Amino acid sequence: MGCNEVKKGKTNISGNDNPIILEVPEPEIEAKVVAQILQGEKVYMQYCLVCHQETGGGVSGLNPPLQDTEYVLGEKNRLIEILTKGSNVGLSIKGNTYSNAMPGFGNLSDDDIANVATYIRNSFGNRADPITKEEVSQYKLVYD
Ligand code: HEC
C-alpha cells in the first residue's frame, strides 16, 4: 500500500473479547479519543453494564437501549445531564418506556463522565464526536 493511501477497515481498538470496532479510516481516530474510549469502557463495565448490558441493548421494559438513540448521539449537554443527575420520568425511547430508574453519577469525576459518554457514543454501532472533560466541567458550571 502506498504511503498516501488511507487504510480503511474495522479496527478493534480494545484488543479483547468485547471488541470496540471503529469502522473509520484509522488515521482519523485520534489517539486521545481512543484513550478516552478505552477508559470509558472501564467506567461502563463498572457502573452501566448491569442495566444497559454488554451490547448496549438494555433490558426490555426495564432499561432502555443505548443503540442509535437521541440521548446518546444528540445534544451533548442532555447526555451529560442524564449521566450526572439520572432520570426517573419514564422516558420514551424509540416508542417504548422503561420502568427502572436511572441513578445519577454526580459522584464520578468529569474525566469519567466524559470518557463513558465518549465510549457509548462510539460503541454499539454508534459513532459521534467525543465529549471532553472540559465540556463536562462547563456543563456543571452553567447548570449545577
Ligand atoms: C439501575 C439501572 C441503570 C444504571 C446502573 C444505568 N442506567 Fe442508564 N438508564 C436506566 C433507565 C431505567 C433509563 C431511563 C430513565 C427514565 O425513564 O427516566 C436510563 C436512561 C439512560 C440514557 C438515556 C436513554 C437512552 O436510552 O439513550 C442513557 C444515555 C443512559 N441511561 C446511559 C447510562 C450510562 C452511561 C450509565 C453508567 C454510567 C447508566 N446509564 C447507568 C437505567 C440505568
Side-chain angles (χ1 to χ4, degrees), residues 47-48 51-52 62 64-65 69 71 83 87-91 100 102:
Y47 297 104
C48 322
C51 289
H52 293 287
L62 290 177
T69 72
Y71 268 84
L83 295 183
S87 176
N88 189 14
V89 297
L91 290 179
N100 247 350
M102 159 99 178

Side-chain angles (χ1 to χ4, degrees), residues 14-55:
S14 58
N16 62 29
D17 292 342
N18 179 33
I20 302 168
I21 306 284
L22 297 180
E23 293 191 50
V24 294
E26 286 178 45
E28 286 184 11
I29 311 167
E30 268 183 77
K32 74 173 190 227
V33 177
V34 171
Q36 269 199 288
I37 294 172
L38 292 176
Q39 288 304 314
E41 182 184 30
K42 293 184 196 159
V43 178
Y44 186 86
M45 294 303 164
Q46 190 172 351
Y47 297 104
C48 322
L49 180 77
V50 62
C51 289
H52 293 287
Q53 305 294 296
E54 204 160 343
T55 56

Side-chain angles (χ1 to χ4, degrees), residues 49-101:
L49 180 77
V50 62
C51 289
H52 293 287
Q53 305 294 296
E54 204 160 343
T55 56
V59 178
S60 179
L62 290 177
N63 310 308
L66 302 177
Q67 302 146 330
D68 193 23
T69 72
E70 264 303 304
Y71 268 84
V72 174
L73 296 173
E75 222 262 306
K76 292 180 178 182
N77 279 342
R78 182 174 50 184
L79 178 56
I80 297 168
E81 177 177 34
I82 198 167
L83 295 183
T84 53
K85 299 191 172 159
S87 176
N88 189 14
V89 297
L91 290 179
S92 173
I93 304 294
K94 297 182 157 181
N96 296 307
T97 54
Y98 297 87
S99 57
N100 247 350

